[in-house]
Amino acid sequence: MRDILHVDLNNFFASCECLRDESIRNLPVAVCGSTEERHGIVLAKNYPAKDKGVKTGQTIWQAKQLCPNLVTVLPHFSMYVDFSKKVRKILLDYTDLVEPFSIDESWLDVTNSKIFGDSVQIANEIRKRVLLETGLTVSIGVSYNKIFAKLGSDMKKPNAVTIITKDNFKKIVWPLPVSDMLMIGRATTKKLNDMGVFTIGELANLSKDFLQDKFGKNGILLYEFSNGIGNDTVRNYYDIVPPKSIGNSTTCYKDLTTNQEVKEVFSTLASSVVARMLDSGYTHARTLKLWVKDNSLKSFGKQCKFNGESNFYNITKTAYELFLQIYDWHLPVRALGISVCDFVDGSFQLDLFGNMSQNCNKLDETILQVKNKYGDDILKQGNGLFDERLSRSLGGLHSYQNSKNKK
């Protein structure tokens, strides 16, 4: 039996902003996108705002109807990354078995970390160290598998430890609504509710065969997770596990009406994607996916294989070629997105322009180093001179939220 922790930073984005500006620390605060850039929704909120009914995903005007004195601040993604790295460094002091779930959540396996005490002692020490060394608070779930550890970290907030064992999980976990369990989203919740299943305990008491018949392979997982079976493997932080995809998307500050404007946005998106690829260590992708939304909010998508390497030049070029294939300018464009996937280790045959691709890769690395040192806006693409706002550097929320959106 393993000793698993799930560490969850409380109200992470909003907490970072309150540390950044002490004058708003005790006020209701919401981190929001820019209304000028048409991202005017709540991305995160602190507890005083939550107590007034403010929710993630609301428009700013909706949030302010509920909380007239709400303080809204723009996100500072580079700051969030820095705080996340500081916390992760603390976690790695106790074990290499640290598996990030998102920018503000991680699992730890401390089974072999007894030099630091038992799992509850380690959890409390981590909680105190994070507060002392960063000013942030965490909630930690302690259990014998990842699913229950995650449930535990959600039960007491902020700055708390919840323990779920084989002896007490039926009392603690089973009364909870099925939607609280990881991997059960809105669609599955509705399907279970329509079957008369509302709590995790009711789910656990269904037969495995019945759930498999209704949900396929996921039905087996539903049965096992609700009964506390399995899912206790925490991956080593230093293992090489390629990401499924790396991407970014943006809602433009104005509707796009020309190919030139689309090129500018693709350059900005490609720059963001390449920076993340270099930061992750996975720079060889075989597939590019494109997403387009017109101003009637209808979406279009297409994907293709790269002809050559997945560097900035090729990502921008391939995205633009795909766009020309799928979009006929029936309406202006409201939003665009690019992602790359199917990562390989780089040991594949180069095309006839292999030397040029290698130089492009080195250029991408050099540009990232310069931006890391002097700021994102120190270097810009030439086509960004046509409209500075379309070429403005993008924040990192989209990629960080990907894993959360799968819950």
Side-chain angles (χ1 to χ4, degrees):
M1 191 166 64
R2 315 301 297 176
D3 293 320
I4 311 294
L5 311 183
H6 184 269
V7 179
D8 187 359
L9 285 154
N10 302 136
N11 297 330
F12 180 49
F13 290 176
S15 296
C16 291
E17 295 297 339
C18 290
L19 286 173
R20 179 174 174 270
D21 182 357
E22 293 186 5
S23 67
I24 64 174
R25 187 166 296 177
N26 297 315
L27 301 175
V29 175
V31 181
C32 303
S34 168
T35 53
E36 292 182 2
E37 306 294 335
R38 301 200 300 187
H39 298 283
I41 63 170
V42 175
L43 306 176
K45 72 283 181 190
N46 64 358
Y47 284 110
K50 184 178 179 180
D51 290 342
K52 295 292 185 179
V54 176
K55 297 179 180 179
T56 301
Q58 286 179 331
T59 61
I60 294 176
W61 69 266
Q62 287 174 324
K64 288 198 170 184
Q65 280 189 325
L66 296 167
C67 182
N69 63 332
L70 182 69
V71 178
T72 61
V73 296
L74 291 172
H76 297 86
F77 295 108
S78 59
M79 175 176 64
Y80 308 152
V81 172
D82 288 341
F83 271 110
S84 179
K85 288 179 178 178
K86 289 176 183 177
V87 173
R88 201 149 287 153
K89 186 177 179 182
I90 293 173
L91 304 184
L92 288 167
D93 283 345
Y94 298 90
T95 177
D96 289 346
L97 299 179
V98 176
E99 182 180 337
F101 185 55
S102 65
I103 190 174
D104 58 348
E105 298 180 60
S106 294
W107 280 289
L108 288 75
D109 185 334
V110 295
T111 307
N112 298 319
S113 303
K114 299 303 186 227
I115 188 174
F116 302 105
D118 63 31
S119 56
V120 177
Q121 290 172 320
I122 293 172
N124 278 306
E125 187 173 328
I126 288 173
R127 182 175 57 83
K128 293 173 184 176
R129 280 190 62 188
V130 170
L131 180 59
L132 179 65
E133 297 176 30
T134 71
L136 300 169
T137 63
V138 294
S139 291
I140 303 178
V142 180
S143 193
Y144 61 95
N145 64 44
K146 291 163 71 176
I147 299 297
F148 286 175
K150 175 71 178 74
L151 274 172
S153 68
D154 289 335
M155 293 185 70
K156 295 180 186 176
K157 295 176 180 288
N159 198 24
V161 173
T162 300
I163 306 160
I164 299 176
T165 69
K166 280 198 169 183
D167 293 328
N168 70 12
F169 83 83
K170 292 181 181 180
K171 180 179 179 181
I172 295 177
V173 173
W174 279 10
L176 298 174
V178 289
S179 57
D180 281 4
M181 198 170 79
L182 191 64
M183 80 168 274
I184 297 184
R186 275 181 283 187
T188 304
T189 297
K190 183 179 185 306
K191 192 169 182 179
L192 287 168
N193 290 168
D194 289 344
M195 294 162 50
V197 178
F198 295 93
T199 68
I200 296 176
E202 290 170 341
L203 173 62
N205 284 309
L206 295 175
S207 75
K208 185 188 296 187
D209 290 341
F210 175 81
L211 288 170
Q212 185 175 9
D213 180 62
K214 294 291 185 181
F215 297 95
K217 291 182 179 179
N218 284 338
I220 298 174
L221 295 178
L222 290 173
Y223 176 84
E224 291 180 346
F225 291 173
S226 60
N227 281 284
I229 301 170
N231 197 251
D232 61 356
T233 301
V234 177
R235 292 184 300 204
N236 191 301
Y237 183 77
Y238 300 104
D239 282 348
I240 300 174
V241 181
K244 290 185 178 179
S245 68
I246 295 175
N248 206 345
S249 61
T250 185
T251 299
C252 306
Y253 83 93
K254 66 175 185 178
D255 289 340
L256 309 183
T257 56
T258 68
N259 287 339
Q260 177 58 48
E261 290 175 329
V262 169
K263 282 184 180 179
E264 291 181 51
V265 177
F266 280 151
S267 293
T268 306
L269 288 168
S271 178
S272 169
V273 170
V274 167
R276 290 174 182 169
M277 292 168 68
L278 290 168
D279 188 54
S280 72
Y282 299 100
T283 58
H284 301 289
R286 291 179 293 194
T287 302
L288 179 137
K289 295 182 180 180
L290 172 68
W291 169 77
V292 183
K293 181 187 286 185
D294 64 27
N295 69 351
S296 72
L297 304 185
K298 185 177 180 180
S299 295
F300 306 81
K302 190 176 178 66
Q303 68 181 52
C304 71
K305 297 293 183 183
F306 280 109
N307 181 18
E309 293 212 43
S310 51
N311 49 47
F312 170 81
Y313 169 80
N314 218 10
I315 291 174
T316 307
K317 176 175 177 290
T318 305
Y320 182 63
E321 290 173 349
L322 272 184
F323 174 81
L324 295 179
Q325 290 178 30
I326 69 171
Y327 206 72
D328 60 5
W329 285 112
H330 58 285
L331 286 172
V333 171
R334 178 178 175 84
L336 292 166
I338 293 174
S339 66
V340 295
C341 57
D342 297 335
F343 291 95
V344 293
D345 63 4
S347 57
F348 56 90
Q349 184 176 353
L350 294 174
D351 60 17
L352 292 174
F353 301 97
N355 289 334
M356 184 181 77
S357 295
Q358 189 174 12
N359 290 335
C360 287
N361 292 340
K362 290 181 179 178
L363 177 61
D364 290 345
E365 292 178 17
T366 302
I367 289 173
L368 180 61
Q369 290 170 359
V370 172
K371 288 186 174 184
N372 283 341
K373 186 172 183 179
Y374 298 106
D376 284 338
D377 295 324
I378 194 69
L379 293 175
K380 292 183 179 294
Q381 300 299 320
N383 60 15
L385 298 175
F386 293 99
D387 189 329
E388 186 274 335
R389 292 180 74 179
L390 287 179
S391 62
R392 188 173 296 168
S393 296
L394 298 171
L397 177 68
H398 304 281
S399 68
Y400 298 140
Q401 291 293 83
N402 281 346
S403 58
K404 285 195 166 186
N405 292 336
K406 295 176 184 175
K407 292 182 188 179

